[in-house]
Amino acid sequence: MPSDWIRFMGTAGARFVVSKQLRSSAGTWCSFNGQQVLIDPGPGTLRSCFFNSVVLKPEELDTVILTHRHLDHSCDVNVIIEAMTHGTFNRRGYLFAPRDAVCGFEPVVFSHVRKSVENLEILYEKGDYRLGDLHFETPLKHDHPVETYGLKFNLDNACVSFVVDGKFSEEMIENYSGSDLLVMNVLLKEISPEKEIKHLDLEAARKLIEGIRPSLAIMTHFGLTMLQENPGVLAAELQEKTGIKVLAATDGLVVRPDQDLF
Ligand SMILES: [Zn+2]
Ligand SMILES: [Zn+2]
């Protein structure tokens, strides 16, 4: 079995960083148990597959997962699935998405594209999903303006969680406990308590790291207030505070759970 890897094609979060492309807003490509999985294909994902030092072939994807319908996570989902399915002519692959991304008012995945995948599965809280030998869970519905689920992959040698957009809660610590690699969408440096902003900030990241104590924590999905500081310096400060290894993702960062965690 080839070793697992995660490529952070893009690390942008929030509309200003995305609009100005201060960081790439492409998704996260994972090769887990030999399955090619693309998470949250935001704006520029298709282009980024081809115009980088390593070419990733969308026709080799097995699965696309949308954690939620916001544009910075779903903008390229239709063109990526068209590429995965050879222009929709070769019905194949999986799409996992919350109900409000594929049904009802203004679904973000077009109907002809939905029909082109072999399997469309709806994500639920406490969902448990299988892709061949690969197993993942959606343990928690996040507190975010649209239906949003984080992901927990149970690999042979490691548990890898993606704590995507959402307001911090103690429930996150319970539900993502046992993660060896903890990826967190830390959009803002600081959220003042009186503001109802449903995202993670550095303090939330600290609580998650201290509560879960992974082998490695990675921050990504940066908004302007994170980029105005140096995210690498902020990660080093968090590492100092928590005693856990913390990285700030950069566009193109590759992590290999087998080699980088233990
Ligand atoms: Zn986002
Ligand atoms: Zn969002």
Side-chain angles (χ1 to χ4, degrees):
M1 186 65 73
S3 79
D4 298 325
W5 51 265
I6 301 163
R7 179 176 287 269
F8 293 85
M9 298 170 74
T11 55
R15 56 197 78 176
F16 299 117
V17 174
V18 173
S19 307
K20 294 177 192 293
Q21 288 289 291
L22 300 176
R23 290 277 183 111
S24 163
S25 47
T28 302
W29 188 306
C30 305
S31 180
F32 286 158
N33 286 10
Q35 300 264 350
Q36 305 306 306
V37 179
L38 180 60
I39 302 169
D40 287 348
T45 301
L46 182 62
R47 186 178 163 78
S48 184
C49 287
F50 296 99
F51 290 89
N52 266 312
S53 51
V54 174
V55 172
L56 297 167
K57 295 181 180 165
E59 72 263 29
E60 291 179 358
L61 278 172
D62 298 295
T63 302
V64 177
I65 304 177
L66 289 186
T67 65
H68 65 296
R69 58 172 289 146
H70 279 159
L71 267 185
D72 53 333
H73 299 254
S74 69
C75 177
D76 271 17
V77 67
N78 290 292
V79 287
I80 283 287
I81 293 176
E82 278 207 355
M84 176 173 86
T85 58
H86 298 265
T88 72
F89 295 115
N90 180 10
R91 194 162 174 265
R92 63 178 290 277
Y94 279 71
L95 169 64
F96 294 88
R99 184 169 294 281
D100 71 352
V102 290
C103 306
F105 179 66
E106 286 185 343
V108 292
V109 187
F110 298 146
S111 58
H112 77 280
V113 173
R114 294 197 299 268
K115 284 180 208 144
S116 73
V117 294
E118 182 98 43
N119 272 299
L120 165 58
E121 291 210 31
I122 301 293
L123 297 179
Y124 294 99
E125 186 169 55
K126 305 261 176 267
D128 197 311
Y129 304 92
R130 270 188 196 279
L131 290 158
D133 291 341
L134 178 61
H135 172 222
F136 78 94
E137 297 165 61
T138 46
L140 184 67
K141 184 176 177 181
H142 287 196
D143 184 5
H144 199 53
V146 296
E147 202 178 343
T148 303
Y149 299 97
L151 307 169
K152 195 172 182 183
F153 289 90
N154 300 301
L155 308 180
D156 290 342
N157 301 321
C159 173
V160 176
S161 290
F162 292 86
V163 183
V164 299
D165 298 11
K167 186 178 160 78
F168 172 79
S169 68
E170 294 293 329
E171 278 184 299
M172 281 182 168
I173 295 176
E174 286 160 39
N175 281 281
Y176 296 105
S177 70
S179 303
D180 301 299
L181 171 58
L182 184 68
V183 180
M184 300 170 292
N185 285 7
V186 184
L187 196 94
L188 290 151
K189 185 167 179 267
E190 191 174 4
I191 298 174
S192 75
E194 59 270 19
K195 286 210 172 134
E196 255 306 283
I197 297 177
K198 297 186 169 182
H199 277 286
L200 301 177
D201 65 359
L202 273 180
E203 179 58 12
R206 184 190 64 75
K207 289 181 192 162
L208 284 168
I209 293 169
E210 288 183 344
I212 295 168
R213 304 200 66 79
S215 301
L216 172 64
I218 299 180
M219 300 193 288
T220 186
H221 209 60
F222 302 124
L224 264 186
T225 59
M226 286 295 286
L227 290 185
Q228 278 159 354
E229 310 282 325
N230 179 337
V233 171
L234 298 173
E237 286 171 7
L238 211 46
Q239 175 166 317
E240 180 76 30
K241 266 187 206 163
T242 59
I244 302 274
K245 188 174 174 196
V246 184
L247 292 179
T250 48
D251 293 348
L253 173 74
V254 176
V255 176
R256 297 178 193 280
D258 305 354
Q259 296 164 27
D260 298 333
L261 287 183
F262 305 106

